[in-house]
Amino acid sequence: MMTIIFGLFLLSLLVIVAVAIVKTKNLFIAAMLLSIFSLLMASNFFILDAADVALTEAAVGAGVTTVIFLSALRLTSQYERGTLASTRWLAILVVVVTTIILMLGTFDSQRLGDPDAPVHVHVAPYYIENTQELMGFPNVVTAVLSSFRGYDTLGEVFVVFVAAIGVMFILDARKGTGPEYALPEEKGLKHHLIPRAVGGLLIPFIILFGFYVQFHGEYGPGGGFQAGAIVATAFILYALLEGERTALRAFPRSAQTALIVGGASLYGAVGVVCILKGGTFLDYSVLLEDPVTARQVGIITIELGVGMAVCGALLSIFHSFAARQPTGRIE
Amino acid sequence: MNFEYLGYYNYLVFAILLMIGFYAVISKGNLIKKLVGLSIFQSAVFLMYISMGKVEGGTAPILQKGVVDQVYSNPLPQVLILTAIVVGVATLSLGLAIVVRIKERYGTIEERELLDAD
């Protein structure tokens, strides 16, 4: 009962925040509100029993996305111009009509939490019943992610890989290599003692938490995607505190690229080893004598690959934005 | 009180959020604001998937030893959305990177001014 009321409250807040995001003319405010929106969304996911998704949304949506938005805003503009009144009324008409159609369609679907809904009777019971026996660990989400639907995850890792390469292609191109194109002077928060001291204290613990999430992902909420995002957050915090150049000296761009390529290849390589051992692609059970242990080894390895690829991709995307200097007039 | 209709509240919020995001995409002229709208649109879809995976009286799909007859929520939508969130931030950054280059080339990211400049 309390959960229902709390859920209704959070969902209503989500709608209010979304309206505020669309209404504000200041893009910095929109970026910060989007971070709050993600945090509310993460709380909602948690109420809806999706602990792993809540962890991902909190780390990626509220953390990394906000930083990337802000670093892109630094290079573009702070305010948006207003919309034409005629466009606005046409858009509102379209949106209201579509909302009503969607809501009417909604009442034909199953009520929230109905155990007989079609989505619950197909493959989900198989996953829940067989995870303990086949994998020997309790987190069904990790089992589905890395083993039952390992092909999907491989594809997703390569999408992240391609997107990171794309950002590098678009933003890392420079007009020349002279001194005027060199990295800017150290800025960071060098002269602000309190954020620097507190941030510096937090970084080791964030990384430690990232590793915990990575290697405990089979037993509790977590796994490669969340861990990669959390570790990337620690390095981004370091870059914000100490300035771009110091951060790149600690963790150079080549190492980030190596991390992306290495992570994605590690995942693919496990699949190829499975073929060479006489199994099918990503069928971990052939890796060792005992199929359960073999699956665990395979899953830990590919989760490590996912974590490396995600961490490298998010870091290299952040540094692509951060290393670029604003050109011309910024309103 | 009758809770029959409260069960649809998640889906109603999904419809509203989806359309708020869609409104930003079609009506706003600022390219960054369009991407913000697209993120809201995407989050609304995530909310729908996760709501579908909820089972009455269920708990997070992490099996507990020695507990019988425990109902677990559906893990499959959670897996799909977990990966989609990370892919979402990667593709969003690609969009932002293109916007940054447009700003550098044309000096503006307002759609109308871009059309005039061409």
Side-chain angles (χ1 to χ4, degrees), chain A residues 148-163:
Chain A
F148 291 121
R149 298 192 71 86
Y151 279 39
D152 286 15
T153 313
L154 181 66
E156 308 268 18
V157 168
F158 274 96
V159 174
V160 174
F161 173 83
V162 170

Side-chain angles (χ1 to χ4, degrees), chain A residues 59 124 239 252 261:
Chain A
V261 177

Side-chain angles (χ1 to χ4, degrees), chain A residues 66-81:
Chain A
T66 313
V67 175
I68 291 175
F69 251 116
L70 291 178
S71 47
L73 284 179
R74 188 182 68 103
L75 301 171
T76 52
S77 61
Q78 190 182 348
Y79 294 100
E80 63 161 320
R81 306 255 159 71

Side-chain angles (χ1 to χ4, degrees), chain A residues 171-178 180-181 324-325 327-328, chain B residues 101 104-105:
Chain A
L171 286 184
D172 286 3
R174 303 229 176 271
K175 293 191 196 100
T177 49
E180 65 270 34
Y181 300 109
R324 207 168 179 85
Q325 282 311 292
T327 53
Chain B
R101 286 307 293 264
E104 288 175 0
R105 179 76 180 75

Side-chain angles (χ1 to χ4, degrees), chain A residues 1 8 11-12 14-15 18-19 21-22 24 27 34 37 41 45 47-50 52-53 56-57 60 65 68-69 72-73 75-77 79-84 88 91-92 95 98-99 102-103 106-107 109-113 115 119-120 123-124 127-128 132 138-141 144-145 149 156 159-160 163 166-167 170-171 173 219-221 225-226 310 314 317 321 324 327 329 331, chain B residues 1 3-24 26-30 32-33 35-37 39-40 43-44 46-47 50-65 72-87 89-94 96-101 103-104 107-110 112-113:
Chain A
M1 183 61 209
L8 295 183
L11 287 167
S12 314
L14 263 182
V15 175
V19 171
I21 292 172
V22 175
T24 178
L27 294 173
L34 202 61
F37 180 85
M41 196 55 114
F45 289 159
I47 288 179
L48 294 167
D49 296 342
D52 288 82
V53 188
T56 318
E57 178 73 35
V60 174
T65 310
I68 291 175
F69 251 116
L73 284 179
L75 301 171
T76 52
S77 61
Y79 294 100
E80 63 161 320
R81 306 255 159 71
T83 27
L84 287 175
R88 184 189 302 149
I92 288 178
V95 162
T98 324
T99 310
L102 272 174
M103 282 180 167
T106 295
F107 289 105
S109 69
Q110 255 77 19
R111 199 170 40 79
L112 180 73
V119 63
H120 300 311
V123 285
Y127 294 151
I128 291 172
Q132 188 69 51
N139 191 344
V140 187
V141 176
V144 177
L145 180 86
R149 298 192 71 86
E156 308 268 18
V159 174
V160 174
V167 173
I170 293 171
L171 286 184
Y219 296 93
F225 283 101
Q226 295 93 326
V310 169
L314 292 178
I317 287 170
F321 281 101
R324 207 168 179 85
T327 53
R329 191 169 50 92
E331 308 118 84
Chain B
M1 269 175 85
F3 287 109
E4 188 67 10
Y5 281 94
L6 283 184
Y8 292 107
Y9 194 69
N10 279 48
Y11 298 113
L12 298 182
V13 169
F14 150 72
I16 295 168
L17 285 182
L18 193 79
M19 284 304 125
I20 290 174
F22 187 58
Y23 171 77
I26 58 174
S27 81
K28 297 287 174 180
N30 187 296
I32 296 232
K33 206 58 182 284
L35 285 174
V36 169
S39 321
I40 296 177
S43 289
F46 296 164
L47 180 67
I50 298 294
S51 301
M52 284 200 307
K54 169 79 179 163
V55 178
E56 193 97 69
T59 181
I62 298 170
L63 307 172
Q64 291 152 6
K65 274 213 182 82
Y72 296 104
S73 285
N74 194 337
L76 189 58
Q78 302 190 8
V79 172
L80 300 178
I81 295 315
L82 199 162
T83 53
I85 289 173
V86 179
V87 168
V89 65
T91 48
L92 176 75
S93 331
L94 195 62
L96 286 173
I98 294 170
V99 173
V100 166
R101 286 307 293 264
K103 166 76 184 180
E104 288 175 0
T108 177
I109 52 168
E110 298 288 334
R112 254 175 298 147
E113 293 170 25

Side-chain angles (χ1 to χ4, degrees), chain A residues 61-249:
Chain A
V64 181
T65 310
T66 313
V67 175
I68 291 175
F69 251 116
L70 291 178
S71 47
L73 284 179
R74 188 182 68 103
L75 301 171
T76 52
S77 61
Q78 190 182 348
Y79 294 100
E80 63 161 320
R81 306 255 159 71
T83 27
L84 287 175
S86 55
T87 330
R88 184 189 302 149
W89 287 111
L90 187 63
I92 288 178
L93 181 73
V94 169
V95 162
V96 167
V97 170
T98 324
T99 310
I100 291 169
I101 295 173
L102 272 174
M103 282 180 167
L104 290 177
T106 295
F107 289 105
D108 275 343
S109 69
Q110 255 77 19
R111 199 170 40 79
L112 180 73
D114 186 352
D116 300 321
V119 63
H120 300 311
V121 295
H122 183 47
V123 285
Y126 174 82
Y127 294 151
I128 291 172
E129 276 159 27
N130 291 292
T131 293
Q132 188 69 51
E133 192 189 323
L134 290 175
M135 314 287 166
F137 59 75
N139 191 344
V140 187
V141 176
T142 305
V144 177
L145 180 86
S146 48
S147 183
F148 291 121
R149 298 192 71 86
Y151 279 39
D152 286 15
T153 313
L154 181 66
E156 308 268 18
V157 168
F158 274 96
V159 174
V160 174
F161 173 83
V162 170
I165 301 281
V167 173
M168 276 190 233
F169 259 119
I170 293 171
L171 286 184
D172 286 3
R174 303 229 176 271
K175 293 191 196 100
T177 49
E180 65 270 34
Y181 300 109
L183 278 179
E185 278 307 302
E186 298 286 65
K187 273 185 286 183
L189 292 174
K190 277 233 159 108
H191 303 295
H192 301 277
L193 184 64
I194 293 173
R196 239 186 122 197
V198 176
L201 215 60
L202 277 176
I203 290 170
F205 293 105
I206 298 176
I207 295 182
L208 191 66
F209 179 61
F211 281 120
Y212 165 77
V213 168
Q214 170 82 50
F215 294 110
H216 200 258
E218 287 78 29
Y219 296 93
F225 283 101
Q226 295 93 326
I230 291 170
V231 173
T233 317
F235 283 105
I236 289 174
L237 179 61
Y238 185 69
L240 293 176
L241 291 173
E242 301 291 334
E244 185 65 11
R245 205 189 284 180
T246 319
L248 282 183
R249 212 177 294 132

